């Protein structure tokens, strides 16, 4: 995923890629350059990345996995995602909020996930904070979608996407989550979260998935249109 790190392509040096950043697959479809490195990335790009999400559990899962990705590639996390789901009770945050030291030790011994005590404890902490957030705001989705970035003007190419790693909205979201006690929620991480959960459509111009994402976002019923002070449209 561009905003939070992606593995170098093995099929072509970056210098050999066209400026528009598109790669033509064996199926004849144009895709964002980063989707061409592995079948896992290709499937994720075509079916998940950029499509809007309003399910609280899915949003919490992605927030958690983005935290685990810190210092790693998304491909590493993507390949371990099912193991993460099993280890963290499907990312049911009400369940995870009750995890204790015995669960931390269990998770530290689970070779299927990233065994990092700080990140494991952060997910448990964030699950507890998620319960507080839902009590205060009604839902994770209603809260998150208040920070939907403004549509960016112009057509996005590879250079533009590579340079865009955060926005005022991702900075504001990170700041507010940290104020609420969340961990591993920096502004660049939050922009990658926004890209993946459909708060923005960062598929490149000419990518075959771009129009599908645009259409889905147009039909998508946003949980809340109220934006935090300072982020008015």
């Amino acid at each position: 995923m561009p905003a939070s790190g992606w593995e170098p392509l093995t099929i072509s040096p970056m210098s050999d890629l066209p400026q528009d950043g598109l790669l033509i697959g064996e199926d004849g479809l144009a895709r964002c350059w980063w989707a061409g490195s592995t079948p896992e990335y290709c499937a994720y790009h075509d079916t998940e990345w950029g499509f809007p999400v309003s399910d609280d559990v899915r949003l919490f899962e992605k927030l958690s996995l983005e935290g685990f990705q810190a210092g790693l590639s998304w491909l590493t996390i993507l390949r371990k995602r099912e193991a993460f789901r099993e280890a963290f009770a499907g990312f049911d945050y009400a369940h995870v909020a009750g995890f204790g030291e015995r669960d931390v030790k269990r998770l530290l011994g689970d070779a299927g996930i990233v065994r990092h005590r700080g990140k494991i404890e952060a997910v448990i902490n964030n699950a507890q904070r998620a319960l507080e957030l839902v009590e205060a705001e009604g839902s994770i989705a209603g809260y998150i979608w208040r920070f939907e970035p403004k549509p960016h003007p112009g057509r996005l190419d590879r250079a533009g996407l590579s340079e865009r790693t955060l926005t005022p909205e991702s900075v504001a979201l990170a700041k507010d989550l940290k104020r609420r006690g969340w961990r591993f929620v920096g502004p660049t991480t939050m922009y990658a979260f926004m890209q993946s959960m459909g708060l923005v459509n960062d598929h490149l111009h000419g990518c075959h998935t771009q129009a599908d994402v645009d259409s889905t976002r147009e039909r998508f019923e946003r949980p809340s249109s109220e934006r935090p002070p300072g982020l008015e449209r």
Side-chain angles (χ1 to χ4, degrees), residues 1 3-4 62-71 165-166 170-171 173-174 177-178 183-196:
M1 292 190 326
S4 54
K62 195 62 170 65
L63 286 165
S64 301
L65 294 180
E66 289 288 355
F68 269 106
Q69 187 199 338
T165 59
L166 52 80
S170 74
V171 172
L173 175 58
L177 285 173
K178 288 178 181 179
R183 304 176 191 167
F184 284 92
V185 287
T188 299
T189 298
M190 288 303 93
Y191 190 66
F193 167 78
M194 289 176 167
Q195 287 177 308
S196 60

Side-chain angles (χ1 to χ4, degrees), residues 7-25:
E7 292 193 338
L9 294 175
T10 57
I11 57 175
S12 174
M14 287 293 289
S15 59
D16 291 345
L17 291 175
Q19 177 59 33
D20 63 11
L22 297 175
L23 289 176
I24 307 301

Side-chain angles (χ1 to χ4, degrees), residues 20-79:
D20 63 11
L22 297 175
L23 289 176
I24 307 301
E26 294 181 358
D27 54 8
L29 297 176
R31 293 179 174 85
C32 304
W33 86 92
W34 58 268
S37 56
T38 70
E40 294 94 338
Y41 268 163
C42 184
Y44 178 72
H45 168 278
D46 285 4
T47 63
E48 294 188 57
W49 196 69
F51 288 93
V53 174
S54 61
D55 178 80
D56 277 7
V57 171
R58 284 191 62 195
L59 291 168
F60 179 74
E61 173 186 290
K62 195 62 170 65
L63 286 165
S64 301
L65 294 180
E66 289 288 355
F68 269 106
Q69 187 199 338
L72 304 171
S73 76
W74 174 242
L75 183 60
T76 297
I77 304 303
L78 191 58
R79 287 174 170 168

Side-chain angles (χ1 to χ4, degrees), residues 71-114:
L72 304 171
S73 76
W74 174 242
L75 183 60
T76 297
I77 304 303
L78 191 58
R79 287 174 170 168
K80 293 176 177 287
R81 184 163 60 171
E82 289 306 319
F84 273 112
R85 286 170 173 168
E86 182 174 352
F88 283 95
F91 288 99
D92 177 348
Y93 54 90
H95 189 158
V96 176
F99 279 14
E101 183 58 29
R102 180 177 297 179
D103 294 289
V104 173
K105 291 180 179 178
R106 168 180 61 83
L107 293 165
L108 286 170
D110 188 340
I113 67 171
V114 175

Side-chain angles (χ1 to χ4, degrees), residues 113-181:
I113 67 171
V114 175
R115 293 177 286 182
H116 184 292
R117 176 178 283 272
K119 294 177 180 180
I120 290 169
E121 291 179 343
V123 172
I124 298 171
N125 169 78
N126 292 350
Q128 295 164 355
R129 305 292 77 77
L131 290 177
E132 296 169 354
L133 188 150
V134 170
E135 182 176 358
E137 306 293 344
S139 68
I140 296 175
Y143 167 78
I144 289 292
W145 277 90
R146 296 174 193 170
F147 294 85
E148 180 182 5
K150 300 176 183 179
H152 24 80
R155 295 177 174 180
L156 193 63
D157 62 10
R158 174 168 60 88
L161 182 56
S162 297
E163 292 170 1
R164 181 180 296 140
T165 59
L166 52 80
T167 63
E169 292 86 357
S170 74
V171 172
L173 175 58
K175 182 178 180 179
D176 195 64
L177 285 173
K178 288 178 181 179
R179 178 183 66 81
R180 294 171 184 266

